[in-house]
Amino acid sequence: MIKVNFKSHNKEVYCNKGDNLLEIARKEGIFIDAPCNGSISCGKCKVKLLNGKVDTQKSGHLKDEEWEQGYILACNTKVIEDIDIDVPSKLSSSMYGMKIEGSDKTKDKEIFDRAKKLIKDNNFEFNINIDKIYMELDEPTIDDNISDVDRIERYIRNNLGYSEIDFTIELLRKIPTVLRENNFKVTISYVKKKNKITILNIESGNTEGKLYGLAIDIGTTSVVVCLVDLYTNEVIEKASSGNAQIKYGADVIHRIIYSSKGIGLEQLKKAIVQETINPLIESICNKTNISKDDIVSTVVAGNTTMSSLFLGVYCDYLRQEPFIPPFLKSPNLTSKDIGLNINSNADIYLSPSVASYVGGDITAGVLASGMWSSEENVLFIDLGTNGEIVFGNKDYMMSCACSAGPAFEGGGISCGMRASSGAIEKVSIDKDTLTPQLTIIGDCEPIGICGSGIIDLICQMLIKGIIDRRGKIHRDIVNDRVRFNEHEIGEYILAFKEEYNIENDITINEVDIDNFIRAKGAIYSGITVLIESLGMDFSVIDKVLIAGGIGNNLDIENSILIGLLPDIEREKFTYIGNSSLVGSYLTLISNDAKQKLQEIGSQITYVELSVYPSYMDEFISACFLPHTNIEQFPTVKELIDGVNIFSKR
Amino acid sequence: MIKVNFKSHNKEVYCNKGDNLLEIARKEGIFIDAPCNGSISCGKCKVKLLNGKVDTQKSGHLKDEEWEQGYILACNTKVIEDIDIDVPSKLSSSMYGMKIEGSDKTKDKEIFDRAKKLIKDNNFEFNINIDKIYMELDEPTIDDNISDVDRIERYIRNNLGYSEIDFTIELLRKIPTVLRENNFKVTISYVKKKNKITILNIESGNTEGKLYGLAIDIGTTSVVVCLVDLYTNEVIEKASSGNAQIKYGADVIHRIIYSSKGIGLEQLKKAIVQETINPLIESICNKTNISKDDIVSTVVAGNTTMSSLFLGVYCDYLRQEPFIPPFLKSPNLTSKDIGLNINSNADIYLSPSVASYVGGDITAGVLASGMWSSEENVLFIDLGTNGEIVFGNKDYMMSCACSAGPAFEGGGISCGMRASSGAIEKVSIDKDTLTPQLTIIGDCEPIGICGSGIIDLICQMLIKGIIDRRGKIHRDIVNDRVRFNEHEIGEYILAFKEEYNIENDITINEVDIDNFIRAKGAIYSGITVLIESLGMDFSVIDKVLIAGGIGNNLDIENSILIGLLPDIEREKFTYIGNSSLVGSYLTLISNDAKQKLQEIGSQITYVELSVYPSYMDEFISACFLPHTNIEQFPTVKELIDGVNIFSKR
C-alpha cells in the first residue's frame, strides 16, 4: 500500500501502486475540479506535488513555470510511491460559496411575490391537496376494541368524509406507538386525491399549522433548495451549493459518459442526493428548527440528464443518436424512492422534460416566465451550462437546445471559473494603455474569470482593437499585456501575478476566445434557426427573457456587441433570474400551476437543430464578432461606420 | 472474550463473560428450542455441557440423572469461561423435517380441486387482474424520438386502451437497458385496476404464459408456501418448514413479549421473512426453474400476531387489555416493502383479521370451508397453536379464540413435541400389562409425543383405569409403567430408555396431563359459550369442520371421549386440513374470492370470551374428563353405565 498525504486537507489515504490520483481523491471525497472528467482536456485538475515521485506527463495545460513548481494534472498522474499533495484551495473551494443569484432576501421576496402575482393574474388558485388534521380519538376499551388503524379511519370517515384511506407500511409501523404517546391525541398529515386520502405522517399531539415543501432546482453546476411554508406560501429559507456531481464532469455529456460505466450511475445519484441536496436540507432544517417529517412535498426541476441521474436511471442513450431520453414525465415518486432526507412518504414531483436536451428546468422556467399566457411573442433564453431557447406565446411554443457547452460558466476557458468568490465579473480596458479595470466577486484577490466577465472582456478587446472580428489578437500590438507563446498563440494578461500577489498570471488566450465565440455562436444561431423555422424574423420578438445563473451580471449591450444576443431594442430584454426555481416554487404551492406545467411539457414543440438543414451554416456565420453578416447587427454596424471601432489600432 | 464451542454444530463463537447461553446460540443462528422464550418455565432448552464451567442452576425441569450427565438449561446459564456445548440433535432438528399435512401430491391435488369447485359452485370467476403482453415496439429514429417510457405507453394506449399507466422507479431503472437487449421486443407484466394499469415487470423477448403467484400460510409453528401458475391455476410446487420465530418463543404471547423489547421486532420479522419464507421461495424456484421476477402476486394468511410480525409492526398492545390489534386489514403492499425475494413490485395481500386473536388464517380458513354459503349450521374449529372457533352459516358467523396454548402441538408437556419425525402419534395401552403400543412418525426411535398422540394417550389412560376423571394417576397401581417422584407427582412411562436405546425415558406426568386438560377444556368451553351466546345448543350443529396442522391425525372418537369435542353424531365431523392455505390459494386465483374474503373479515362477529360472564364456569367444568357434567356426553355416559370404564382398576 502506498500513502498519499493530502496536506491541504490534512488527510492521509492509502492506495495501490499505479492508482490514478484523481480517482483516489474522488473516493475520499476530496474535491478536485475536473470538468472534462479526467480526459486530460481541460487542465483544471492541477495539484501540486510537494514530496515524492509520480508517473505523470507535462501537458499543454501546464506552463513551464507551473511544471517546475511541481504542478501536475491529477487526472494524468499515477501514484507509484508515498507522496504529499497540495490541492490548491481555489479549486477545492470553488464549488462551495459559489455566488448564486438571489441570495439577497429582499430581492428573493420580490421574485417570489411576482411569481405569486402570475398565479393570481391567471385566475389560478393556491390549491394544494395536502393538509393536516388534529384528532382527539376515543381511547380504546374492551367494548370499543377496534384496531388502531380502524380507529383512525373511523375518525377520518366521520370528520373528513373519506372512506378510502391509504397509507404505507412505514406509517403503519409508527401508528401503535405514536397513538399512545399522548393518549390518542395525534395529528395526521394527508394528501387528498379524488375520493381517496393517503396518510403521509402521524405525529403525537397537535402540530397543525406546520406543513412544509421544498422547491429544488438541480442545475448542472449549482443546486438551490427553497423551504416553503405550505400554509402561507412564503419562502422561509433558501440554501444553495455547487452540484457535487461536478467532480465527475462539468457538463452533461461528461456526466452521462461517467454514469454509463461501472458504478458511475450510483456515484452520480449519490453525489446529487446524498452529497448535495441532503446537506442543503440538513442546513435549512437546522437553521429553521423545522422537523424533516413535516416536509411533505417536493418539486424538482432539472434538465433531462439531471432528472435521470437524480432518479438513478441509465441515460447513455441521451447522447447516442437518435438521442432518446429514458423518460420525460417521471412516475409517481416518494422521497424514500430517492433517499431524500425528509418525510419518507413525501411526494416528489419532477418537472416534465420536453426532449433530450430541453428538460424540466426549461418547462419550469417557461411556467415562471408567464409566456404561456402572453399575447406577445416572447423569446426565452436559459444561459446555463448549456443554452436552451423557447420562442412563442399563448398559442404555440417552440424550443431548441444549443450545444453551447459550459463556456458561459467558465468551462473550456483556461482561467475560466464559475461565478464564485474571486471571479472577475466585469472588465473594462483602457484604450491607450490596454490596462484592464476589474470588478471581482467578493473582497479578495482575483482567481479567474466568470461568464459575464468574459463577455465584457471579449467585447472590450474587440472595441479597444486588441482582437479582430475572428477573435485573433492583432500581431502588431506592442504592449506588455499582450504576448505570444512558442506556438504563436496570443494571449492577453488580465492580471499579472505581481499585481495581486497571486501564484500565476490570469490570462485569456486565442483558444479560449475561439471556444467562447463558438459558444455564443451556438446560442445566436439557435435563436436564428428557431425563429426562421416559423417563417419569421427577429422583428416579431416583443420580449426577451434571460434566465439562468449566468444571466446575473450579463451586460446586454456588450452581449449584443459580440453577437451573443440579437440586435433589437434594448428595452425588450429582461433578466428573470433562476426561473427554473421559481417555476418549481409555483408548482409546489398551486395545483393549477402544476396542471399548467404538465400542459407546457406537452405543448412545447422541440426542434432538433442538428437535423435542421440551415443550422450549420448559421452557426459558422455566427462564429464571428458579432457575425459575418454585419447587416444583422444594425446598431453595431452604425458604430463601425461611425468610429470604425473594429479597425486595427 | 470467551469461546463457546458448539461441538454439535462444529461452530466456535466468541462472547463476553456473563453472556446468556441461549442468546449466544440465537445470535449465531443455532437453533435451540425455547418455547417459553427463556423464562425457565418450559425446560425445553436443555443442552449438554461437555467441557468447562458455567454459572447455572439446577431447575425442576432437569432430572437428577440429567444434571449429573451435564445437562443444563441454556436460558438459565451464563458463560464464565471457555466451554464446549452439545445441542441435542432432536432439538435442533425438530423444527425442520416437520411433518406437515398435505405434502402428499395426490392428496394436495384433491384438496385444491375441491377448493376450485367451491369457486364454481358459487358462480365466482377465476378472474385476476394481472396479465402479460408481448410487444414489438418500433425502434426509435431521429423522426420518432419519443422517450423510452412514452414508447411503451404509446403501445399500451394503442393496443390495450389504457391511458393511465403507472410504474415504479425500480421498473423505470430497468426500462432503457431491457428495451435494447432484444431490439425493443419486450414482455410487460401488469396489473389492471379500474381504468389504470400498473406495470410490474419488463422482460426482454417473449415470456408470455409465465406468470406465477404464491399462497402462503404463516402458522405460529409451521409455514407453507405454494407456487401457483396464474394461467392454469395449478399448484406447481409446495414447500414447508417450521417458523424460524420458534426460537423466540413457541406461542404468540411469548413472541409478542420478545418483539416488544430492543431489536426483538426486527429479529422476529427477519426470522419469518428472511429465515423462513425466502428460503422456501428459493427452494421452490430452484426446483421448478422459475424466475423470481415472474412471481407477481402473493396472498398471505396468518393470525393477527403473525400478520403484525410479518410486516414488522409493533403489536404489544395485542396482549394488554383491552387487547388492541394494530390493524386488521393491511395497507397496499408490494414485496419490496416486506423484503420477499420475488418481483419487487409484486402485490402482497394479507388476509384480513377479525380481532386480536381471530386472524387472517381463520378468515382464509372460513373462505375455504365454504360455510359462508352454507344453509346448514357449521362449526369450524382450527386446532393449531391456539384454538379458534367460528360458528354460523350464510346468514351470520360468530367467532371466538380459546387460550388453549400450544399443548396440541406438544407445548407445556414435558416430553411433548411437534408432529415431526420421532413423535409418537398414536397410542394404545394393554389393559392388563399397561404396556403401550406406539405409532411413531418416520422410521426411527421415539423422541417425544405430539398432540394426536397425547389425545390417544390420555384417552387410553382414562379407559384403562390409570387416571381418574381429574387426570390424576390412581395411587394404588402397582406396575413398573407407573411411578411417583419425591414430590408425589405421578408419571406414566411410555418408553423406557432401555427399550429403544434412547437417552431418557419418555413419560407423561400429572402436570402434563393437567396442562392438556386445561387446553382441551378451553376449546370445549369456547364452543359451548359461543353457541350458547346465540341461545342455541349443540343440537343445532349440522357439520363440524376441523382445520389446522394438529387435526391431521386427530382421532375423533378419542377426542370426544376426553371431552375435547362435543358428543354429537360422528359423521358430522370432517377434517379439512390446512384451510388457511387453501383460502389463500383461492384468494390468489380469483378476485371474486378475494372480495368474499374481505366481506368475511367484516362479517364475522367476534365474541371476547374473557368478558363473557359464564365462560370461566364453563371452563372449570370442562377441566374434567370428559366434563363435570357427564350429561353433556351421552355416549360416554352410556359407556360408563355399561362397563364402568372409568372405575378404579
Side-chain angles (χ1 to χ4, degrees), chain A residues 216-224 243 245 255 272-273 276-277 300-303 306-307 310 350 361 580-581 584:
Chain A
I216 303 181
D217 168 44
I218 304 182
T220 308
T221 307
S222 62
V223 175
V224 189
N243 182 333
Q245 291 178 334
R255 295 204 200 147
I272 183 62
V273 175
T276 308
I277 299 176
V300 176
N303 63 45
M306 290 304 109
S307 297
F310 177 64
L350 220 63
D361 51 346
S580 164
L581 182 68
S584 302

Side-chain angles (χ1 to χ4, degrees), chain B residues 521-640:
Chain B
I523 299 288
Y524 185 84
S525 53
I527 299 170
T528 308
V529 170
L530 191 65
I531 290 179
E532 262 186 25
S533 74
L534 291 161
M536 301 178 181
D537 61 32
F538 293 167
S539 67
V540 301
I541 302 174
D542 297 310
K543 234 186 195 176
V544 182
L545 303 178
I546 299 171
I550 181 63
N552 209 24
N553 294 295
L554 194 70
D555 186 307
I556 295 293
E557 194 62 43
N558 288 352
S559 302
I560 294 171
L561 264 165
I562 63 167
L564 166 63
L565 297 176
D567 187 1
I568 56 175
E569 296 89 323
R570 308 319 188 234
E571 63 273 20
K572 289 183 176 175
F573 292 86
T574 316
Y575 283 130
I576 58 166
N578 187 341
S579 60
S580 164
L581 181 69
V582 175
S584 303
Y585 163 75
L586 291 176
T587 308
L588 184 69
I589 60 171
S590 163
N591 272 347
D592 292 346
K594 185 188 272 186
Q595 182 59 36
K596 176 52 70 180
L597 180 63
Q598 287 286 107
E599 287 170 26
I600 290 170
S602 312
Q603 282 167 357
I604 294 178
T605 304
Y606 176 66
V607 175
E608 174 60 53
L609 291 181
S610 68
V611 297
Y612 210 82
S614 65
Y615 178 69
M616 197 40 77
D617 291 342
E618 287 293 343
F619 171 66
I620 292 167
S621 304
C623 287
F624 220 69
L625 295 172
H627 196 276
T628 49
N629 178 9
I630 194 71
E631 301 299 330
Q632 290 194 19
F633 288 79
T635 65
V636 184
K637 182 168 185 277
E638 213 169 282
L639 266 179
I640 297 176

Side-chain angles (χ1 to χ4, degrees), chain B residues 454-467:
Chain B
I454 298 170
I455 290 171
D456 282 3
L457 175 60
I458 292 178
C459 180
Q460 285 288 307
M461 287 171 80
L462 181 66
I463 291 174
K464 304 300 157 60
I466 301 172
I467 53 174

Side-chain angles (χ1 to χ4, degrees), chain B residues 383-450:
Chain B
L383 282 182
T385 303
N386 238 314
E388 295 97 343
I389 303 165
V390 185
F391 179 71
N393 56 36
K394 68 181 179 51
D395 297 321
Y396 69 92
M397 287 181 280
M398 308 289 285
S399 71
C400 69
C402 315
S403 306
F408 299 112
E409 289 171 324
I413 310 293
S414 54
C415 287
M417 69 180 287
R418 300 183 190 91
S420 54
S421 200
I424 299 165
E425 61 171 349
K426 281 182 176 301
V427 182
S428 67
I429 296 177
D430 184 272
K431 76 174 166 48
D432 297 320
T433 64
L434 300 191
T435 308
Q437 192 181 343
L438 310 178
T439 307
I440 300 159
I441 299 177
D443 191 15
C444 60
E445 303 305 323
I447 297 170
I449 186 162
C450 68

Side-chain angles (χ1 to χ4, degrees), chain A residues 4 44 54 93 97 102 110 145 159 163 178 191 282 330 431 455 493 537-538 546 594 599:
Chain A
V4 179
K44 290 295 168 75
V54 293
S93 67
E110 268 170 40
N145 59 359
N159 292 276
S163 59
V178 173
V191 188
E282 186 74 33
S330 85
K431 77 173 163 52
I455 290 170
I493 298 102
D537 61 32
F538 292 166
I546 299 171
K594 185 188 271 187
E599 287 170 25

Side-chain angles (χ1 to χ4, degrees), chain B residues 100-165:
Chain B
I100 292 172
E101 42 87 54
S103 52
D104 176 339
K105 287 220 170 184
T106 321
K107 196 176 153 200
D108 269 6
K109 197 168 157 32
E110 268 171 40
I111 291 173
F112 290 111
D113 283 348
R114 196 169 62 217
K116 278 192 278 189
K117 193 170 169 295
L118 185 71
I119 297 273
K120 284 179 201 150
D121 290 349
N122 284 281
N123 294 318
F124 284 3
E125 284 184 44
F126 295 104
N127 50 352
I128 57 168
N129 52 5
I130 305 178
D131 209 343
K132 262 191 172 181
I133 181 171
Y134 170 62
M135 339 199 272
E136 298 193 352
L137 301 170
D138 298 327
E139 292 190 45
T141 63
I142 204 87
D143 297 319
D144 176 20
N145 58 359
I146 59 172
S147 78
D148 289 343
V149 166
D150 287 322
R151 191 167 301 275
I152 292 170
E153 293 189 345
R154 182 173 68 187
Y155 188 96
I156 292 174
R157 221 167 29 244
N158 294 342
N159 292 274
L160 295 174
Y162 289 92
S163 59
E164 205 179 330
I165 298 159

